[in-house]
Amino acid sequence: SSKAMQELSPKIKEIQKKHGKDRQAASAAQMALYQQHGVNPMAGCLPMLVQLPIFFGIYRAIYPLSESGAGYFGNGFLWLPDLAEPDPYFILPVLAGVFQFIQARMMRPANQQVTDPQQKMMNTMMNFMPLTVILFGSQFLSGAVLYWFAQAVYAVVQQWLITGWGAFSEWFPWLP
């Protein structure tokens, strides 16, 4: 979806120039362009929406185990004294948020100004998602946040294999 949006970007700019300040006509033309090429501008949010039920399912599975003290949840892991309690130093939530932000930045095309209002809104949402990860992660059980962190690291590697560094390379031009 992200790659398709990048490819359609020049055509979207042409539509915006053609329609000028008539936002309604520009939006209609953009939607027709999206339908013509089979692109959904909100499809980039789908992986996050799929991830949330899995995360809440893991949380609901870990919580009863942590209450009963079953398994290894009462044991420590690295700096975490107990996987059944929130991270006392907030390291995991911050790391999960940082990797979520890196992935969001990698999804954007490098050196390209976004003029599409829908794309701008999606980029804004992607900037706030890491903050919500940190906020919720600071209150959730460490075991669940550990999953979230591992998933975020995996997602960054996967995004790099798909699109490379994307807009993240604007901040660090020495990246290959």
Side-chain angles (χ1 to χ4, degrees), residues 47-172:
M48 283 188 230
L49 294 176
V50 171
Q51 173 185 323
L52 283 176
I54 295 170
F55 177 74
F56 286 125
I58 289 174
Y59 179 80
R60 294 299 301 162
I62 290 173
Y63 192 77
L65 290 173
S66 66
E67 290 292 314
S68 66
Y72 294 103
F73 289 98
N75 298 338
F77 179 74
L78 298 175
W79 67 89
L80 302 168
D82 189 355
L83 290 176
E85 297 293 326
D87 185 350
Y89 306 113
F90 306 109
I91 295 171
L92 272 179
V94 169
L95 285 175
V98 165
F99 276 93
Q100 190 92 25
F101 179 76
I102 290 170
Q103 181 199 13
R105 194 75 188 151
M106 288 171 68
M107 287 173 57
R108 296 183 196 154
N111 300 322
Q112 190 173 23
Q113 290 291 335
V114 177
T115 55
D116 180 24
Q118 291 175 336
Q119 188 68 30
K120 282 183 179 181
M121 182 179 71
M122 193 168 83
N123 288 347
T124 302
M125 287 175 28
M126 298 292 270
N127 285 339
F128 282 108
M129 190 59 136
L131 297 175
T132 59
V133 168
I134 293 170
L135 180 68
F136 289 125
S138 64
Q139 303 300 314
F140 282 178
L141 306 176
S142 296
V145 181
L146 183 61
Y147 158 76
W148 210 338
F149 167 69
Q151 187 278 333
V153 171
Y154 173 77
V156 165
V157 171
Q158 183 180 26
Q159 189 66 42
W160 180 76
L161 290 171
I162 293 171
T163 62
W165 291 108
F168 193 68
S169 63
E170 291 173 2
W171 292 349
F172 302 101

